[in-house]
Amino acid sequence: MRRGVRFVVGAGLGIGALAAYLWYVGPEEVGSRVAAVAPWAVAAVGVLMLAEATVDGLGVWASVRPLRGGLSARASVQFAFAGDFFDVLSPAGPVSSEPIMAQFFGVATETSYSEALGVRGVAKYVKSAAQLLLSVALVGVLFLDAPASRFVLVTLAGAVAALVVVGAALVWARGALSMVVVAALTPVVRVVTGVTRRTPLGRDAVAGAVERFWERVVQFRDAPELLGVIALSGVFEQLLTSLAPWVALAGTGTTVALIPIVAVIPLPQAASVVPVPGSLGAYDVLLAGALSLTTGAPAAGAAAAVLVVRTFELLVSLGCGGVATGFLRGVRA
């Protein structure tokens, strides 16, 4: 597809999705909330949302480095914006967007889909772990005395425990899990490839893909510095994401501490389980509630700040991300 056509398609996807969000929330509601925030704060939030998406490119660069040298810095940022686009539109956020993005990563690096999914799965795991551990450390060390903070700490610690259990289970039951995956996917792959190929792929092809997936997962043992870069990128992203509502609250005349926001910003990610693109409504309510609970900000001010942040977040993810997605290649030449 020509670059001009891809640009139009990507821009159309982004504009259409953003229009759907505005229709869902209501243009008047967005306008009234934005008007409650000082113009300098609105502009700062927009810059922070762009910076957050750009910093994510560092983690993308490190995660795909094992795939034949990976991507350039510019391409990594482009893929980061595209990833944000699918994070918003896919029902379960990053959980369901990574299988989509793996196709684009595989084509760009001239590797297989399973290899790309393997390295990106590790990246998401390490990034989430780094952000949750930072939050647990902040709440546990600085805010444990407050009753609300105990609730936040238990919730975050539970998320960390779940990550540990899942990771340990994947390592311990790798062989059995591979057998289950191969058995489940073989009929699906055979049917799909029967439509697109003369000779459908069978069990051997699926087993080979699963094995390549695990090879890429364990490859990071020889490159721990890449895992460090991924974790550092996740922490930077968390800090920039936290600065946005902090600035927006300041724009409403409410001054609060930044550290509690940094600690609770991963909490609303639980909204990803809501099967609605962008977790519309659920994320907003959870984030506004977490801000009020931990910072003492007025509910109205927290709601206004969250709506401003979410509007710019979706503008960047859907607008810029849609354009970035339009320039990706999902089919091999």
Side-chain angles (χ1 to χ4, degrees):
M1 189 184 295
R2 294 181 179 179
R3 291 177 63 87
V5 176
R6 291 204 300 267
F7 174 83
V8 172
V9 171
L13 287 172
I15 293 172
L18 183 62
Y21 167 74
L22 292 176
W23 174 83
Y24 177 86
V25 177
E28 299 83 3
E29 178 71 10
V30 173
S32 63
R33 295 292 189 181
V34 171
V37 181
W40 66 267
V42 173
V45 168
V47 172
L48 286 168
M49 290 295 96
L50 284 170
E52 181 269 332
T54 303
V55 166
D56 190 29
L58 179 62
V60 170
W61 174 86
S63 69
V64 298
R65 192 69 177 166
L67 301 179
R68 296 192 177 185
L71 302 170
S72 66
R74 179 180 178 181
S76 297
V77 173
Q78 178 189 359
F79 271 82
F81 274 90
D84 287 344
F85 176 77
F86 286 111
D87 283 350
V88 171
L89 289 187
S90 58
V95 176
S96 54
S97 68
E98 282 304 328
I100 299 172
M101 287 298 299
Q103 177 65 24
F104 296 108
F105 281 114
V107 172
T109 58
E110 297 182 348
T111 55
S112 68
Y113 174 85
S114 59
E115 291 175 285
L117 186 60
V119 297
R120 288 302 299 161
V122 171
K124 285 297 184 183
Y125 186 91
V126 172
K127 175 181 173 181
S128 298
Q131 292 177 339
L132 286 170
L133 286 173
L134 174 62
S135 294
V136 168
L138 290 175
V139 175
V141 173
L142 300 178
F143 307 104
L144 188 57
D145 292 338
S149 296
R150 292 196 189 98
F151 168 77
V152 173
L153 180 61
V154 170
T155 304
L156 291 171
V160 171
L163 275 179
V164 172
V165 170
V166 169
L170 289 175
V171 173
W172 178 71
R174 170 183 165 185
L177 181 61
S178 296
M179 294 176 60
V180 172
V181 170
V182 171
L185 290 183
T186 296
V188 178
V189 171
R190 184 177 289 117
V191 171
V192 173
T193 56
V195 177
T196 60
R197 300 166 62 100
R198 287 187 177 181
T199 305
L201 297 177
R203 186 183 186 283
D204 290 342
V206 177
V210 172
E211 183 59 29
R212 289 191 297 273
F213 171 89
W214 287 115
E215 287 175 356
R216 290 300 185 180
V217 168
V218 301
Q219 189 174 358
F220 281 101
R221 292 184 303 184
D222 300 324
E225 68 279 2
L226 293 179
L227 295 179
V229 173
I230 294 170
L232 191 62
S233 170
V235 170
F236 284 157
E237 188 179 344
Q238 183 174 354
L239 293 174
L240 289 170
T241 303
S242 303
L243 278 170
W246 181 73
V247 169
L249 281 170
T252 65
T254 303
T255 303
V256 299
L258 174 62
I259 299 300
I261 301 178
V262 177
V264 302
I265 207 69
L267 274 179
Q269 295 301 327
S272 293
V273 302
V274 180
V276 177
S279 299
L280 296 179
Y283 184 97
D284 306 53
V285 171
L286 286 172
L287 182 55
L291 289 177
S292 296
L293 181 67
T294 56
T295 66
V306 167
L307 190 55
V308 169
V309 171
R310 282 287 278 168
T311 299
F312 277 97
E313 178 186 2
L314 293 175
L315 178 63
V316 171
S317 299
L318 298 176
C320 300
V323 173
T325 300
F327 284 101
L328 298 182
R329 286 176 48 240
V331 180
R332 301 177 190 273

